[in-house]
Amino acid sequence: MPSKSVFRWLDGRGWLVLSGGGDGASEIRAQALGRLAADGGVAYIPLSGNLETAEAVLEDMLDLGAPSGYLVDVSAEDDATITAKLADAGIIVIEASASAAEARSALLGAAVEGIQAAYEHGAVILAEGLSAMAFGDWLVKDDGTVMPGLEWLDGALIAPGVTNAAAWARELLLEYPLVFVVGIGASSALALGPDGQLEAWGDGEITVALGRSYASNPEEPE
């Protein structure tokens, strides 16, 4: 598991890019393309149900010089097709969802299996907006409670669109034994590479707030 400072993330030859999903999304996508090493096209996972948005992102990727792209409808296609289409991708773009819990639910199973297979073989995984939150150990539901995430970033709760993690997470850190919260500004991204690379992209607004469980056990939540 690659690690740097408090960050420890899933093993793989690819990059995990967690984007705030704001106005700088296109710039972040361009940087993600610059890390492209694996063969394969651009797989785009639409989670809003808005096909016009999906087509616009694919067009933006093409304008940025990406290889040909295709949509992967994780709500309609069969599991084998979903896994195969994602596993063959060189870069996977996961659209911002209406909520992190919805993103987690949509990706669990065949989708996350395909995403992980691609990542292990060198693909870039770009999760935008609240979909990025789903990749932490924890996520915040719409009612403000905390539940497990997809567990790609060990001990973390990811907060897209947040420029001050300490202020945003103050009550959460008191109520829940979270290891740490990482805020990612709307026009910023946190990029995690296969050899321990830890980079701030876009506006570079990345902040970290440590929870009480970090002081007692920096490796695992209580």
Side-chain angles (χ1 to χ4, degrees):
M1 177 175 284
S3 64
K4 189 165 186 178
S5 185
V6 297
F7 295 90
R8 294 166 25 126
W9 58 96
L10 194 69
D11 281 323
R13 291 165 52 198
W15 283 76
L16 174 62
V17 182
L18 305 169
S19 169
D23 292 339
S26 186
E27 179 184 346
I28 300 301
R29 293 169 191 154
Q31 289 188 262
L33 284 170
R35 297 296 189 275
L36 185 60
D39 294 332
V42 179
Y44 182 73
I45 303 178
L47 296 179
S48 69
N50 187 332
L51 290 181
E52 289 186 4
T53 301
E55 294 292 347
V57 173
L58 284 178
E59 186 173 328
D60 183 47
M61 295 293 286
L62 285 173
D63 289 343
L64 292 169
S68 59
Y70 51 90
L71 300 180
V72 182
D73 189 341
V74 297
S75 66
E77 299 183 69
D78 65 87
D79 286 355
T81 299
I82 291 168
T83 301
K85 289 172 72 173
L86 291 172
D88 288 341
I91 181 168
I92 298 172
V93 182
I94 305 166
E95 180 189 18
S97 177
S99 79
E102 288 180 8
R104 176 187 182 275
S105 178
L107 296 175
L108 274 178
V112 80
E113 289 174 10
I115 293 168
Q116 185 167 344
Y119 172 76
E120 288 173 352
H121 290 96
V124 178
I125 312 303
L126 171 57
E128 300 185 333
L130 286 177
S131 294
M133 182 183 280
F135 282 81
D137 257 9
W138 312 98
L139 60 83
V140 180
K141 297 167 64 177
D142 291 341
D143 63 5
T145 60
V146 169
M147 66 176 286
L150 296 174
E151 302 178 350
W152 280 43
L153 184 54
D154 192 35
L157 190 157
I158 301 158
V162 171
T163 56
N164 187 330
W168 181 86
R170 184 176 293 113
E171 293 185 8
L172 287 173
L173 292 172
L174 290 172
E175 185 174 357
Y176 297 97
L178 306 174
V179 176
F180 68 102
V181 175
V182 52
I184 302 172
S187 295
S188 302
L190 176 67
L192 307 166
D195 297 314
Q197 299 99 324
L198 179 67
E199 300 177 2
W201 292 0
D203 289 348
E205 294 181 318
I206 308 295
T207 56
V208 175
L210 300 178
R212 65 183 187 276
S213 62
Y214 179 79
S216 60
N217 186 343
E219 295 189 353
E220 297 291 342
E222 297 174 343

